[in-house]
Amino acid sequence: MDTQGLHHVTAFAKDPAENLRFYTEVLGLRLVKKTVNFDDPATYHFYFGNQNGEPGTIITFFPFQGSRPGTVGKGQAGRIYFSVPKGALAFWKRRLEENGLSVKKQIMLSEQVLLFNDTEDLPLAIMEDERSGQSEWTPPGITEKEAITGMRGVLLYSYRPEATIQFLIERFGYSKTGEEHQIVRLQSEARIGHIIDVDLAPKETGIGGYGTVHHVAFRTSEKEQAKWKDILADSHLASSDILDRSYFTSIYFRESGGILFEMATDEPGFMTDESFENLGTELKLPEWLEEHRSQITAVLPKMEKGE
Ligand code: ZN
């Protein structure tokens, strides 16, 4: 039983309005769901993705107002990669620089990549990848020739890189496709979210806070999810119960290199409580929080446009 690749990546931010601005206006992703952190409903949870919010295109944030900056390091995903169509790299370098970001263009595993941080210091990268197709979500200034098509992958900073690599190959079905400058590249068969790079170089310990990744979620199906509990137990990894996250169900576990992983289902997806046209336009709450809506909206950080 293999995973299809990444489902979503979740990171910490600080300022909800800035997080929303950067990912929708600068990177041009669609806000596909605006909800709260189910474990801390005084904090927003934003989901950004392609037009449909497909698994593999989703990056999500908990913007904790007043939070401290984190340290990117061991026990975390250290960088999130986005895919763009072939030939779009020059457009993105110009666009990011016009938005005041410092962008480093370099060769990584024999391809040109753009490395940069978002405005709250979360490490990101943009890479060309034909296999992810084109996005239909094209906000002002971005055409389908340039629009981000989804996540391409992540770079992992593991406490035990060899064990992490072995787990990804033996349990998740990834194949090793390259190694350069102490970075090992693993790939799955998926069209998007198919790359996992593992950094073998020594790094300091990661500390949670804005600008760091909280967890990396992999795709599974409703039918197969329960079986993962057995597979993880077989690998001597403790896992959570199956939790209802409204738009998918999830199992969480810490892999042996210290990074928090999640197995999230494709079903039911983001159109379970909003139509395609209305995705991300209203604050959505799960049933058990709906009765507390007025208290929740009273404590959520104020956003522009009367939120
Ligand atoms: Zn998650």
Side-chain angles (χ1 to χ4, degrees):
M1 213 166 73
D2 294 342
T3 168
Q4 282 288 301
L6 296 181
H7 184 288
H8 66 269
V9 176
T10 294
F12 294 117
K14 185 169 80 165
D15 178 357
E18 172 55 16
N19 184 248
L20 203 55
R21 182 196 74 85
F22 183 80
Y23 285 89
T24 59
E25 293 177 20
V26 179
L27 292 190
L29 302 177
R30 185 176 192 188
L31 176 70
V32 292
K33 198 61 65 183
K34 180 164 63 174
T35 180
V36 296
N37 181 339
F38 292 177
D39 305 317
D40 170 21
T43 302
Y44 278 113
H45 192 181
F46 297 146
Y47 290 81
F48 303 98
N50 72 351
Q51 64 280 357
N52 301 313
E54 278 168 65
T57 72
I58 302 292
I59 178 168
T60 98
F61 287 92
F62 299 129
F64 283 107
Q65 264 199 337
S67 61
R68 291 160 179 266
T71 303
V72 176
K74 296 256 185 236
Q76 297 172 346
R79 192 176 290 276
I80 300 168
Y81 306 161
F82 292 104
S83 290
V84 296
K86 271 262 178 290
L89 227 51
F91 168 90
W92 281 102
K93 183 161 190 295
R94 201 167 53 239
R95 184 177 177 86
L96 296 170
E97 285 173 347
E98 279 168 8
N99 278 279
L101 299 174
S102 147
V103 184
K104 207 160 101 190
K105 188 173 176 182
Q106 70 172 60
I107 305 279
M108 188 177 163
L109 289 134
S110 311
E111 54 178 290
Q112 297 260 3
V113 303
L114 301 181
L115 305 181
F116 60 102
N117 289 0
D118 78 4
T119 48
E120 292 184 339
D121 251 355
L122 180 71
L124 303 176
I126 287 182
M127 305 175 178
E128 295 180 353
D129 192 332
E130 261 170 330
R131 105 193 221 181
S132 63
Q134 287 190 332
S135 173
E136 289 160 35
W137 190 255
T138 53
I142 304 176
T143 74
E144 61 187 18
K145 291 197 186 83
E146 299 112 15
I148 288 175
T149 50
M151 272 182 302
R152 188 167 191 234
V154 285
L155 172 65
L156 301 182
Y157 291 149
S158 168
Y159 280 103
R160 298 172 60 210
E162 294 303 338
T164 299
I165 291 166
Q166 190 184 1
F167 175 82
L168 288 166
I169 291 173
E170 289 178 6
R171 297 302 188 177
F172 278 7
Y174 279 80
S175 308
K176 180 174 168 177
T177 59
E179 180 169 355
E180 203 180 276
H181 298 120
Q182 291 197 288
I183 291 179
V184 170
R185 173 152 294 181
L186 306 174
Q187 288 201 37
S188 78
E189 297 292 316
R191 185 178 63 81
I192 40 177
H194 55 283
I195 286 180
I196 305 279
D197 287 342
V198 182
D199 196 329
L200 306 178
K203 279 270 173 318
E204 60 183 323
T205 293
I207 302 167
Y210 74 81
T212 65
V213 172
H214 183 251
H215 65 265
V216 178
F218 295 85
R219 290 175 67 183
T220 186
S221 63
E222 265 173 18
K223 229 171 70 197
E224 292 187 338
Q225 188 169 46
K227 293 185 204 157
W228 281 106
K229 297 233 4 131
D230 301 330
I231 294 170
L232 296 171
D234 205 45
S235 301
H236 309 287
L237 295 170
S239 59
S240 74
D241 291 333
I242 296 178
L243 301 176
D244 181 2
R245 294 322 201 183
S246 287
Y247 311 106
F248 40 86
T249 58
S250 296
I251 295 171
Y252 298 86
F253 67 99
R254 213 166 274 284
E255 55 85 42
S256 48
I259 304 163
L260 187 60
F261 279 0
E262 172 184 349
M263 303 302 300
T265 55
D266 284 3
E267 310 86 359
F270 295 99
M271 282 179 253
T272 187
D273 62 357
E274 273 177 314
S275 67
F276 174 79
E277 290 73 24
N278 292 328
L279 282 177
T281 56
E282 278 177 30
L283 178 70
K284 304 306 286 187
L285 296 175
E287 231 171 274
W288 73 91
L289 291 176
E290 192 57 60
E291 57 180 308
H292 306 293
R293 179 176 281 267
S294 58
Q295 292 106 297
I296 289 171
T297 53
V299 295
L300 278 172
K302 296 285 170 280
M303 305 264 291
E304 284 167 290
K305 296 168 196 160
E307 266 305 326

